[in-house]
Amino acid sequence: MLRADLQAIADQVNDQAAFLRFAETLTAFLARLRSSAETLSVAERQRIVRLVVKDVLVGDNTITIRHSISLPTCPRQNNPPPQISPTPKVTFCVRGVVSPMLANLYMNRFLKYWRISGRSEAFQARVINYADDFVILSHDHATEALNWTRCVMARIGLTLNEAKTSIRAARQERFDFLGYTFGPHRYKDGHWYLGASPSKKSIKRIRQKVGDLLTPGNVSPWKDVRCRLNQMLRGWSAYFCYGTRMMAYGAVDKYVCDRVRQFLKRRHKVSSRGTKMFREETVFGELGVFSLRQGQSSGGP
């Protein structure tokens, strides 16, 4: 059951890659690589070339280099390439890579070696990954799988992010992956079950985004503020639409209601606490704020 939950989340993330924005265009990748070239050693440059270049075809008048950098399926119009930090950035499970795209290339090498060396059978395990974030589900061979992974990562010049690396007994302990918390959950009647729910960090992040939007310094018309707020909430609920989510939805709704009340109370100079003027049913009804629990907003875009 837990494997099915993890695979469902991984499949959903692949379908909704826009929410995580892992993909880089070729232009962005080259910009990052070019800006980092001066700080790379010769060995690092050679390793990048071996990862990226697949074939070099020498003709009479041309030299064709076939690479393994995936391009977008269709060009984005009127959108400039994303801003790339000139400093090499370490992301997710591996360290020592120039960009997320190279991290993906390294992960492909790891996954290929996992398959050809028969690790799934040896460790009774399965790897579930998105980009370079991954979980290994193993039956009684977790320690061996972790040690093998550390060894292989070291051989290809990477190290695991130990802060995010651990062994969990998935039927008794929880763990976070791709914004979800997996493991034992409890019904209201006290019975336990294995499931998935939005992680505490994910809830904290959306609360932070809402708080950053509804600040006293935001003087935009309420219609514009509401539109931006609803876009964030709809995007969050579209991603976190799997598993046990009503408790998380309720916590976010309560926070949104409180922040909207404070925001409008200050704007309209209401001397009271505003609980009567801006009740929950008013916020998620007349004012048109999107409610995660209701899955809709009345009057809003």
Side-chain angles (χ1 to χ4, degrees):
M1 179 178 178
L2 189 61
R3 291 187 180 185
D5 289 342
L6 283 168
Q7 189 61 56
I9 295 297
D11 292 342
Q12 181 180 329
V13 172
N14 285 320
D15 293 337
Q16 300 179 355
F19 289 107
L20 298 183
R21 296 181 181 178
F22 280 125
E24 290 184 347
T25 63
L26 177 59
T27 303
F29 168 71
L30 293 176
R32 186 190 293 271
L33 188 60
R34 190 178 299 111
S35 64
S36 305
E38 295 181 357
T39 62
L40 297 177
S41 66
V42 174
E44 289 172 328
R45 298 180 191 183
Q46 292 174 342
R47 192 167 63 206
I48 291 172
V49 171
R50 287 195 296 268
L51 279 171
V52 174
V53 176
K54 297 177 67 176
D55 297 297
V56 178
L57 307 177
V58 181
D60 295 335
N61 300 312
T62 61
I63 297 178
T64 302
I65 299 177
R66 295 176 57 195
H67 58 76
S68 55
I69 303 174
S70 58
L71 294 172
T73 55
C74 59
R76 295 179 296 175
Q77 297 180 351
N78 302 323
N79 281 338
Q83 296 297 318
I84 303 299
S85 170
T87 304
K89 184 178 181 181
V90 177
T91 58
F92 300 100
C93 70
V94 294
R95 295 177 173 175
V97 294
V98 174
S99 72
M101 177 169 287
L102 282 182
N104 293 342
L105 295 175
Y106 277 102
M107 273 303 299
N108 286 336
R109 292 182 63 186
F110 169 78
L111 294 173
K112 181 178 180 180
Y113 190 50
W114 173 279
R115 290 192 298 270
I116 65 177
S117 61
R119 294 301 98 187
S120 294
E121 294 76 15
F123 297 143
Q124 300 181 44
R126 180 180 179 183
V127 179
I128 296 177
N129 79 292
Y130 180 78
D132 62 338
D133 211 352
F134 67 98
V135 169
I136 299 177
L137 299 176
S138 176
H139 183 68
D140 294 333
H141 296 279
T143 301
E144 295 95 317
L146 177 57
N147 292 336
W148 184 89
T149 299
R150 283 199 178 102
C151 180
V152 172
M153 288 295 183
R155 288 169 60 183
I156 61 177
L158 302 177
T159 58
L160 290 177
N161 184 344
E162 296 298 337
K164 297 182 65 176
T165 303
S166 61
I167 295 178
R168 291 284 187 270
R171 295 185 179 277
Q172 289 82 38
E173 300 176 278
R174 291 187 171 193
F175 65 93
D176 290 352
F177 181 56
L178 299 180
Y180 279 83
T181 294
F182 293 91
H185 290 64
R186 181 156 49 183
Y187 290 112
K188 291 183 179 180
D189 61 7
H191 287 82
W192 291 89
Y193 67 97
L194 291 179
S197 60
S199 68
K200 292 181 179 179
K201 287 184 178 180
S202 298
I203 298 174
K204 183 178 180 180
R205 290 191 191 103
I206 187 62
R207 285 165 57 108
Q208 181 65 48
K209 290 181 178 179
V210 171
D212 291 343
L213 176 66
L214 301 176
T215 60
N218 188 344
V219 296
S220 300
W222 166 244
K223 183 177 180 180
D224 295 341
V225 175
R226 180 188 63 192
C227 181
R228 177 62 186 136
L229 176 62
N230 285 349
Q231 287 176 348
M232 290 193 302
L233 295 174
R234 282 196 175 97
W236 196 85
S237 65
Y239 179 73
F240 292 104
C241 63
Y242 179 84
T244 304
R245 54 194 184 277
M246 283 300 108
M247 186 175 297
Y249 280 10
V252 174
D253 273 356
K254 182 179 185 305
Y255 181 80
V256 169
C257 183
D258 291 342
R259 291 309 301 255
V260 168
R261 181 183 297 122
Q262 291 297 320
F263 179 79
L264 294 178
K265 182 174 77 75
R266 287 192 300 264
R267 174 165 290 191
H268 295 286
K269 297 180 173 56
V270 177
S271 57
S272 66
R273 294 167 55 191
T275 53
K276 292 185 178 180
M277 181 176 293
F278 304 110
R279 294 186 177 93
E280 181 175 324
E281 54 267 28
T282 303
V283 171
F284 296 119
E286 180 182 344
L287 293 176
V289 177
F290 181 82
S291 168
L292 299 181
R293 287 173 296 180
Q294 297 174 9
Q296 59 184 3
S297 59
S298 302

